[in-house]
Amino acid sequence: NTVLSAPVWGFQDVFFRRGAVALKRDLESFIMENILFKVQYPCEYHAQSAVEASCKIHPQIVHRTDEIHSIVIQTTRACLRTIDKTGQLRDSNDRDHCLQYCVAVGLLYGTVTAEHFQDSVAQDPRIDQLRKKMQVMENPQYSADYLDPDKRSISNAIQVHFTDRTSTKRIEIEYPQGHRRNRTDCYPALQKKFMGALSSRLPPSRAGKVFEMCMDAQLFDSMPVPEFLQMFAEPPVPFILPDVTPHQFPSRLRGNIQGSIDDGDSLYGDNASDAGTVYSGGGLEKSSGGSQLLARLSGVSER
């Protein structure tokens, strides 16, 4: 039995009334081959192509924001259900999951970064003014292509209309950067994002080593998984045993210490020069005679 086929409480019995799970395709590597890379804009993925379109329109409207009459956005049904939001937005998480907010920032600033979702930028009154002028509607063809397994497009189109009855060109983007059908142009930005993420957590030398190894497909494929994971692990931090005397220990330990010293054992080993020895990791790896005493103090009995 498996988690799928187990009687009574298995997934199939509970959710499919004892029917077998039927897949439209073999799992294999479909997910990995169709992964969506979010390279340019840190917002919900249904809005990626809309943000790209708004950034392209930015030069045409940046000096005419007061003349904007309406902004028409055509999108998918999935996008409408997920990130079509009106009214007040509570915080940065609410903003980066709002189609209208992301488009407004793209139109006004020509790009969208993580800082644009913070309170300091959200206080810009022009953002809410533009949000109120947006008309978001479903394009049935976009919704059909979104569900088409051969396309899986994430289409958005934007057009801005002005009060003098002129309009910008209608900008349509079917596959945003990072989509399976639009990968080539995103690789430099993806590599830059990867290196930035490594540098935020690892020292420069280790970050560079990991980056170079990942860029070499042959070396990466031949490296064992444990060895690869070890590159991200922090090395053990060595510590130095302090130079202490028995009276500095709690009273319940002083008897054991004094007895060991009376038997000829030094607190740090067979000679006083062992004080200040560096012990790494778990600590009790010193091979001198004092190791028995240290083990006794830490509650570990040697066998």
Side-chain angles (χ1 to χ4, degrees):
N1 292 331
T2 67
V3 68
L4 292 177
S5 62
V8 183
W9 301 114
F11 186 86
Q12 294 176 157
D13 279 14
V14 173
F15 293 100
F16 287 85
R17 298 182 179 181
R18 299 185 180 179
V21 174
L23 301 177
K24 293 183 178 180
R25 65 171 63 85
D26 293 334
L27 295 179
E28 297 179 342
S29 58
F30 176 84
I31 298 299
M32 296 305 297
E33 292 173 357
N34 291 271
I35 192 171
L36 303 170
F37 291 113
K38 189 185 292 185
V39 265
Q40 279 194 305
Y41 310 114
C43 53
E44 206 277 340
Y45 209 89
H46 289 93
Q48 290 289 311
S49 57
V51 172
E52 283 189 41
S54 66
C55 291
K56 289 185 177 182
I57 297 176
H58 163 75
Q60 303 176 51
I61 66 95
V62 65
H63 300 299
R64 302 183 63 186
T65 55
D66 295 338
E67 303 174 38
I68 294 177
H69 177 265
S70 63
I71 302 169
V72 178
I73 304 174
Q74 292 184 326
T75 188
T76 62
R77 184 182 307 172
C79 182
L80 289 173
R81 290 176 175 175
T82 308
I83 57 174
D84 176 21
K85 296 181 182 179
T86 58
Q88 183 178 2
L89 302 174
R90 296 167 297 178
D91 51 29
S92 59
N93 296 320
D94 218 5
R95 295 168 194 138
D96 67 19
H97 277 63
C98 173
L99 174 66
Q100 291 90 332
Y101 185 94
C102 295
V103 170
V105 170
L107 290 172
L108 292 170
Y109 295 92
T111 188
V112 176
T113 65
E115 288 71 25
H116 287 126
F117 300 112
Q118 302 305 314
D119 294 342
S120 56
V121 176
Q123 294 173 359
D124 185 343
R126 300 176 300 169
I127 294 178
D128 283 339
Q129 291 172 7
L130 292 186
R131 287 178 61 207
K132 293 177 181 179
K133 296 179 180 181
M134 293 182 186
Q135 301 172 11
V136 184
M137 59 188 69
E138 179 190 359
N139 183 315
Q141 187 60 51
Y142 290 174
S143 297
D145 292 344
Y146 177 83
L147 299 174
D148 186 337
D150 294 328
K151 289 187 175 181
R152 300 293 293 173
S153 63
I154 308 177
S155 306
N156 280 286
I158 299 178
Q159 188 172 24
V160 178
H161 303 284
F162 298 101
T163 54
D164 62 1
R165 297 189 178 183
T166 60
S167 305
T168 66
K169 290 184 178 180
R170 180 178 177 273
I171 303 297
E172 177 187 66
I173 294 181
E174 190 174 7
Y175 301 104
Q177 281 197 20
H179 190 280
R180 178 175 61 90
R181 294 197 178 190
N182 188 12
R183 288 270 176 84
T184 306
D185 294 339
C186 84
Y187 286 144
L190 185 62
Q191 292 174 3
K192 181 179 179 181
K193 181 178 180 180
F194 178 44
M195 188 60 191
L198 289 174
S199 300
S200 69
R201 292 292 181 269
L202 301 176
S205 58
R206 288 174 58 199
K209 185 178 180 180
V210 173
F211 181 83
E212 292 177 2
M213 187 272 301
C214 291
M215 292 300 104
D216 188 331
Q218 185 176 359
L219 179 61
F220 180 81
D221 291 342
S222 64
M223 175 173 284
V225 173
E227 186 177 337
F228 175 71
L229 295 178
Q230 188 62 36
M231 298 179 70
F232 294 88
E234 290 291 337
V237 180
F239 60 88
I240 301 177
L241 290 177
D243 187 6
V244 296
T245 55
H247 74 272
Q248 293 177 284
F249 285 84
S251 57
R252 61 187 177 83
L253 296 177
R254 291 175 188 170
N256 291 340
I257 299 172
Q258 191 60 50
S260 296
I261 294 177
D262 292 342
D263 292 338
D265 238 351
S266 168
L267 181 58
Y268 287 105
D270 296 332
N271 47 65
S273 64
D274 285 339
T277 299
V278 177
Y279 290 80
S280 63
L284 301 182
E285 300 174 359
K286 186 78 169 62
S287 60
S288 67
S291 62
Q292 294 181 357
L293 173 60
L294 293 173
R296 191 186 308 169
L297 296 180
S298 63
V300 179
S301 60
E302 292 189 352
R303 298 181 183 275

